[in-house]
Amino acid sequence: MSETQNVTKVDVVEVTKIFGDDPDAALERLKTGATREEILRDTGQVVGVNNVTFQVGAGESFVVMGLSGSGKSTLIRCINRLIDPTSGQVRIDDEDILIADDDRLREIRLTKLGMVFQHFALFPHRTVAENTEYGLKIRGVAADERRKAALNWLDVVGLADWADSYPDALSGGMKQRVGLARALTVEPEVLLMDEPFSALDPLIRRDMQDELIDLQRKFHKSIIFITHDLNEALKLGDRVAIMKQGRFVQIGTPEEIVGSPADPYVEAFTQDVDRGRVVTAGTVMQPFEGIPLGRTNVKSIATIFDGFDGPGVYVTDAKGLPEGLVMQDDVGRALDEGLHDVTYLVRKDFPQVDESMPLADFFGACEAGVPIAVVNERKRLVGVINPLDVFAQLTPGAASGAKVGNGAAEEATGGGTAEVAPPAGATGGDHGARV
Amino acid sequence: MTDFLPKPSDFFVLPLDEWIDYLVKGILVPNLRPFFRAIQWPVDQVLTGLENLFNAIPFVVFVVILVWLAWRFAGRSIAVFTLVSLVVLDIVGVWPESMATLAMVLTAVLFCAVVGIPVGLMAGRSDTFATAVRPILDIMQTTPAFVYLVPVVMLFGVGIVPGVIATIIFAMPPIIRLTNLGIRQVPEELVEAGYAFGSTPRQVLIEVQIPLALRTIMAGLNQTLMLSLSMVVIAALIGAEGLGLIVYQGIGRLDVGLASVGGLGVVLLAITLDRITQGIGEASGADAGRRKLSGVAQKVKTLFGGKRPSDGDTATAGGTQASPPSPGEAA
Ligand SMILES: Nc1ncnc2c1ncn2[C@@H]1O[C@H](COP(=O)(O)OP(=O)(O)OP(=O)(O)O)[C@@H](O)[C@H]1O
Ligand SMILES: [Mg+2]
């Protein structure tokens, strides 16, 4: 949901948490390969988190998805040490917080970590504003200053009008907005969110997700987000980890999770996923940088069409921005008329989408049957999408098809006569006419 | 018929009574007398202070204060009841005794709170401590009230202060238990939220746990008060004064009228104190009081077309901890 920078904010290394009176014995058994069930049966110790390792970059949102009891809450509480891990390391900004003393730990919690809870955990005896400013109060900030900060963040989440109400006058969605404002008011670098939207109605949940995406666009926090809903995970996560019985079974981008599930467990989840939301233009496209318009003519374009029978190819300007679509039919006609200059053939009203756009958002553009230009964030042409590939993507079984296609595609070289992996032909015989 | 089957006592009799007798008379009394004297001192001070205070306040002023408290916290009907009770106490001629009893009860409750609330807080935060305290509380609560009196007399002598001390011991368990319960009832997520935002354990206690446990703690205080009242009557046996003494005298002389008047006084005092403290407890309890208040604030807000509550200042004024709900609301 945002760009990932290279700086590692949170570094979780081989963290294990065992609940019970003799964690060390259980830890030994875990190391020698005993399973969670065996350990529970033989020693009565519960393995909450089993050897989990991951990094979260600055500005990255990392989502952990797993079913109830898989250890998600335990894991996220190991990060701010509400629960002390049995072994492993948790580094925040390269500082191992597991060896921090009480004062240092509090300072880290005060300044770097904000937390949002599943059941909101608002203090019922404080007003919305008092709840929001709690972290600053603990930090010892003066009353008027912290109220100002609280009102500011309440305004961001749209609840400034409710500042002096008590939480029980608020609906669930509003309560969680307050929860979010409370976490943001301490200006944390890392937001820990333990199933923050699970207790909300589906519609409200969607609003909150969108709002979180907006906030993240503005404020670029490092987010560790827990959920049991894979769609939510895929929507919000730059990267997603799937957790099962205390372990991570797969970490990857949403597309990797959906496109190549690591095991049947993950695959079973991905069956229900709304692919249109996960698969982006960048995944379905075939890489193609276009043919530079300045260095081509009708003849050289015609030779390209000899190689394939697609409806048209994209031409680009000197900077690589897509100039327009040249249709095969038009090229044929121009050749007949002895024309030389391609410029007249370029159709400017072509469909264009951003690399990161989810399939569902440009689905309409596919219906024209024309290849779609895919551009990167600098608006350069990076590929084309064959509408047929899009339809194929929407059925679960066919997910990996596009990947294979990608590998086979070659990039066009400068001369214009080079081999171009052609956008395959569209349906029907009247292609081109509807551009 | 079972005589031919041996019982343990045929072979061995444990002289437990003698041992305890020796422990108290032979060891505790001679060696720790100064210690027990020292405990008496603060109780004596507070008791004397309260007695003097109540004697100094004119009847009318006292009634006005109590009726006002009842009105404020418990509503109009309780206020009326309070007024009638106090007048009855006076016209049946037990007013001075009632004040003596009230002074003893309040002294006992004060010491119960001062000792019991911290103990309850510790128990609420430590399972080990809670487990250790529990059997002691069980013993304190199940030992018949009269049984306290003997060791108390041995250690503290007879009189009004020993009577109050017996009362303190007897009435202490509920406040400890309910403080412990109140702390444990605070939702775990709220405590976590406190820690997650960098609070010290002390801050979590003060900012989160105690406010949320307050209602339960107040309920404990109310029970402690009721127990004190019943014990203070029994403590008349070892020289305590007040209404208990009237009852005691009535029984001693088989004077039904006198005993009944004493009993009536105790009942009236009990109900009055119970209702008023319950009212105070509910008003100070975090959620209940606040809920009412924020409900009102919300209504006012909608009336004024969803303006910022701070503009009208209604919510802010209503939200301060000190101001309880209006009598009409509470009734
Ligand atoms: N304090 C505890 N003592 C013993 N076992 C615990 C404790 N806390 C959690 N567990 C166990 O650890 C496992 C993981 O629990 P956790 O709460 O982390 O799961 P979760 O993934 O957050 O589940 P949910 O979706 O229900 O919140 C569970 O089997 C749970 O029973
Ligand atoms: Mg959980």
Side-chain angles (χ1 to χ4, degrees), chain A residues 26 31 36 76 80 105 132 214 228 245 284 298 352 403 405:
Chain A
K31 278 186 185 141
R36 197 170 182 252
I76 204 168
N80 60 0
L105 176 64
T132 310
D214 281 349
H228 60 244
Q245 303 196 336
V284 257
V298 172
Q352 172 181 327
K403 292 228 137 78

Side-chain angles (χ1 to χ4, degrees), chain A residues 17-20 36 45-49 66-77 83 118 194-195 226-228 243 246:
Chain A
K17 173 67 194 180
I18 291 160
F19 293 104
R36 197 170 182 252
Q45 314 289 300
V46 178
V47 180
V49 174
L67 294 182
S68 187
S70 57
K72 308 179 300 289
S73 298
T74 309
L75 175 65
I76 204 168
R77 280 164 177 72
I83 293 177
Q118 177 170 2
D194 186 7
E195 300 207 32
I226 303 288
T227 179
H228 60 244
M243 197 168 186

Side-chain angles (χ1 to χ4, degrees), chain B residues 187-217:
Chain B
E188 175 65 16
E189 217 183 26
L190 291 180
V191 176
E192 279 189 332
Y195 284 117
F197 286 99
S199 318
T200 59
R202 200 189 152 82
Q203 282 170 322
V204 169
L205 188 67
I206 293 170
E207 304 280 348
V208 181
Q209 289 174 311
I210 291 182
L212 292 174
L214 201 55
R215 234 186 132 187
T216 315
I217 296 176

Side-chain angles (χ1 to χ4, degrees), chain A residues 248-416:
Chain A
F248 275 6
V249 286
Q250 185 173 12
I251 305 185
T253 63
E255 283 137 23
E256 283 163 2
I257 300 277
V258 177
S260 41
D263 67 4
Y265 180 78
V266 181
E267 197 169 349
F269 277 118
T270 60
Q271 296 297 318
D272 309 329
V273 163
D274 177 3
R275 282 158 196 282
R277 289 260 133 241
V278 179
V279 179
T280 58
T283 348
V284 257
M285 73 176 191
Q286 307 197 346
F288 176 57
E289 288 179 355
I291 297 160
L293 185 56
R295 280 184 261 165
T296 188
N297 55 36
V298 172
K299 259 208 183 111
S300 62
I301 288 256
T303 57
I304 293 173
F305 283 113
D306 282 348
F308 74 103
D309 57 3
V313 294
Y314 277 97
V315 289
T316 54
D317 65 8
K319 290 194 194 121
L321 311 188
E323 188 76 18
L325 190 56
V326 178
M327 305 304 295
Q328 190 168 16
D329 296 355
D330 294 345
V331 174
R333 230 169 287 132
L335 271 180
D336 293 345
E337 291 167 24
L339 290 178
H340 207 68
D341 193 349
V342 189
T343 326
Y344 302 109
L345 306 180
V346 176
R347 296 175 179 239
K348 301 271 188 191
D349 54 346
F350 58 92
Q352 172 181 327
V353 298
D354 201 83
E355 234 181 346
S356 61
M357 189 181 279
L359 209 142
D361 291 350
F362 63 87
F363 195 70
C366 303
E367 287 172 354
V370 187
I372 299 161
V374 182
V375 296
N376 64 13
E377 71 270 25
R378 283 187 266 147
K379 302 285 170 231
R380 295 228 174 102
L381 185 69
V382 289
V384 287
I385 291 173
N386 173 2
L388 276 187
D389 289 345
V390 172
F391 297 120
Q393 274 296 328
L394 292 177
T395 50
S400 46
K403 292 228 137 78
V404 180
N406 281 349
E410 291 283 345
E411 292 189 358
T413 49

Side-chain angles (χ1 to χ4, degrees), chain A residues 133-211:
Chain A
E133 65 189 34
Y134 183 79
L136 297 182
K137 180 175 184 188
I138 293 303
R139 207 187 279 177
V141 174
D144 50 342
E145 199 178 316
R146 62 178 196 245
R147 177 158 173 105
K148 220 171 94 187
L151 288 179
N152 175 34
W153 282 104
L154 283 173
D155 199 36
V156 170
V157 299
L159 285 181
D161 286 353
W162 295 83
D164 297 304
S165 308
Y166 285 88
D168 48 18
L170 270 52
S171 71
M174 292 158 85
K175 281 184 191 160
Q176 197 56 296
R177 277 166 211 267
V178 178
L180 196 54
R182 178 174 65 180
L184 288 167
T185 302
V186 299
E187 310 265 343
E189 296 162 36
V190 179
L191 263 184
L192 304 174
M193 310 180 82
D194 186 7
E195 300 207 32
F197 306 150
S198 297
L200 305 176
D201 296 337
L203 282 179
I204 313 267
R205 192 183 310 163
R206 174 139 23 109
D207 282 352
M208 293 296 290
Q209 291 164 352
D210 294 338
E211 185 150 342

